[in-house]
Amino acid sequence: MRNLWVYLRNYKKETVLAPLFKMLEATFELFVPLVMAAIIDQGIQGANVPYVLKMGLLLILLGIIGLVCSVTAQYFAAKAAVGVSTRLRHELFAHIQSLSFTEIDTLGTSTMITRMTSDVNQVQNGVNMFLRLFLRSPFIVFGAMIMAFTIDVKAALIFVVAIPLLSVVVFGIMMLTMPMYKTVQAKLDQVLSATRENLTGVRVIRAFNKEKEEIERYEEKNRKLADMQLFVGRISALTNPVTYIIVNVATIVLIYTGAVRVNEGSITQGEVVALVNYMSQILIELVKLANLIITITKALACANRIDHVLKLRSSMAWEQNLPADPVREAGSEPEKRYAVEFCHVHLAYAGAGAESLSDIDFRVPKGQTVGIIGGTGSGKSSLVNMIPRFYDASGGAVLVDGKDVRNYSMEELRRKVGVVLQKAVLFQGTIRANLLWGKQDAGEEELWRAVETAQAKDFVEQKSGKLDAQIAQGGRNLSGGQKQRLTIARALVGQPEILILDDSASALDYATDAALRKAIQNLDADMTVFIVSQRASSIQYADQIIVLDDGEVVGMGTHKELLANCQVYQEIYYSQTGGTERL
């Protein structure tokens, strides 16, 4: 939590002025009971109308000054709170972007969304309330007690008893509820996760007629969240009635003691009224303090959750400001280097019981097309995801252009490797804006060349605005095949040395798929292409085919070689072609 308060450093002025103006407001408020006592004792009892009017005007003036101070304090507190939450949200988003896929997979999408939205909003409310009330409420409570002592010591002793009792109640409830609010936020994560899962998979749910089961599952998570919130709410709700009971009992005792003291002639009737007003002020401020503590408790729980994410460090360390490669600059035999090398690579995901890839060892010369095929879950995507270093090898090394990927800077490696992932993801905006992700300064000709190579030219030209046609969020206004072709075009715009197509043509028909592969081969003789596919026809003309089974390489060679000596490849190929011949 301490780390989060560094965000207030840019708002030092607001952090000081907000409580200062609240203190000024509280100071003027403490004078009000004394003015009322003077009106009763000197004005009303003496039938001094001019004095009553004069003191009444003084009350109005105190009220106006207090209002101005209150509004000013609210302005500075809100400015600081909103500024802190804005910066915190930016820092949190940037930090999450810096995490590797391993940490993102571990945290989960729903948890990160909750951190950046609900949790940050709770922290914002906490900062706002803290700056406004953390000095004002204690100042009025103890100030009212001191002012009561200036009126009458014996009557003021009631305050000495009441205030510690109230503090025990308020802080005791805070200590009970603080860990519970952490549990509430965790259950909120679960509800958000279920909501996101249902909304993204709504078509599948309806296709299998699982609406009823999913509603029941969601209601169960929602009920647990509601039950926990009600339980914490009931404990928090005790704050107001218990404090009211203590204050009202203290007020009764105060009125009785005041009456006795008036009868003795020790204090006046106006002073009794002032004492009751001070007790009322204490009641109001303690109720505010209780609400402040509830808000602060929620904010602290959320701040700790945010702090947990901010303290999380990526398992990948990227090199920065790397020196130039003297071998490459000298041009000494770059043709002898391999584009990609896997040197006895092993991969185990975080928390996994077994390795996803075991002892992967192969080399790919520059300019070759490599096909990767295997059954579902065989590790095809895991293998190619290690080339752009989405995941680090748990054993062995992955080399790109003769250099370990762990020794590249992120910018350099991303320039070398273009990736088209399994799921075609486009962002809201224009086609042009999405394509420029591949290369920000790409010209019109480069964009159209990439679109044509990706076999997307026909449907792009038909759209109103062509490259400036709008794409809805997630590409909802495009078909699956159109989205895949545009994601391929986006990768081609960057003209990478290594292009990875991770089952990115699954929505294309065979003719378009063949035309795409032919167009890519004609692009650049030096571009190394990895094609991950479930279709044997998509990779049978590759220079080299790697066959995976359960995370291991069970075959490597050309199409003909594998048909002759790889049983796994034979089963895949003949099951798709319907052939019966066995070699």
Side-chain angles (χ1 to χ4, degrees), residues 204-338:
V204 177
I205 292 169
R206 290 179 180 176
F208 286 88
N209 194 29
K210 290 290 183 180
E211 293 95 328
K212 185 177 179 181
E213 289 87 342
E214 289 302 315
I215 289 172
E216 290 174 354
R217 189 167 71 95
Y218 179 82
E219 285 180 348
E220 175 65 16
K221 292 181 181 293
N222 203 23
R223 184 187 58 77
K224 289 181 179 178
L225 173 62
D227 289 345
M228 193 63 195
Q229 286 177 322
L230 287 172
F231 182 66
V232 181
R234 288 190 186 104
I235 296 175
S236 298
L238 290 173
T239 307
N240 285 0
V242 174
T243 51
Y244 270 104
I245 289 170
I246 295 172
V247 171
N248 286 332
V249 170
T251 304
I252 293 169
V253 176
L254 181 62
I255 293 172
Y256 175 78
T257 305
V260 172
R261 300 290 285 170
V262 170
N263 192 44
E264 293 174 352
S266 301
I267 58 176
T268 64
Q269 293 177 357
E271 288 173 335
V272 173
V273 171
L275 288 170
V276 173
N277 282 338
Y278 281 129
M279 185 61 75
S280 298
Q281 284 185 352
I282 290 174
L283 170 62
I284 293 169
E285 290 307 317
L286 282 171
V287 170
K288 287 182 181 178
L289 188 60
N291 291 329
L292 169 64
I293 289 172
I294 291 170
T295 303
I296 292 295
T297 302
K298 291 179 181 178
L300 286 172
C302 294
N304 287 329
R305 284 158 50 85
I306 294 170
D307 200 31
H308 169 72
V309 177
L310 291 174
K311 285 180 177 177
L312 194 64
R313 291 291 171 259
S314 176
S315 56
M316 290 185 181
W318 290 92
E319 295 289 342
Q320 300 294 332
N321 301 319
L322 291 171
D325 187 339
V327 177
R328 290 195 65 187
E329 288 194 353
S332 51
E333 304 184 12
E335 66 279 357
K336 291 186 179 180
R337 294 187 183 181
Y338 291 101

Side-chain angles (χ1 to χ4, degrees), residues 548-583:
L548 294 176
D549 185 39
D550 197 21
E552 297 180 353
V553 175
V554 294
M556 191 181 304
T558 62
H559 172 68
K560 289 183 178 180
E561 291 171 348
L562 292 171
L563 278 181
N565 56 37
C566 181
Q567 183 180 354
V568 174
Y569 188 76
Q570 291 172 4
E571 291 174 357
I572 294 172
Y573 179 74
Y574 288 121
S575 67
Q576 293 178 2
T577 60
T580 56
E581 181 184 359
R582 294 293 184 270
L583 297 179

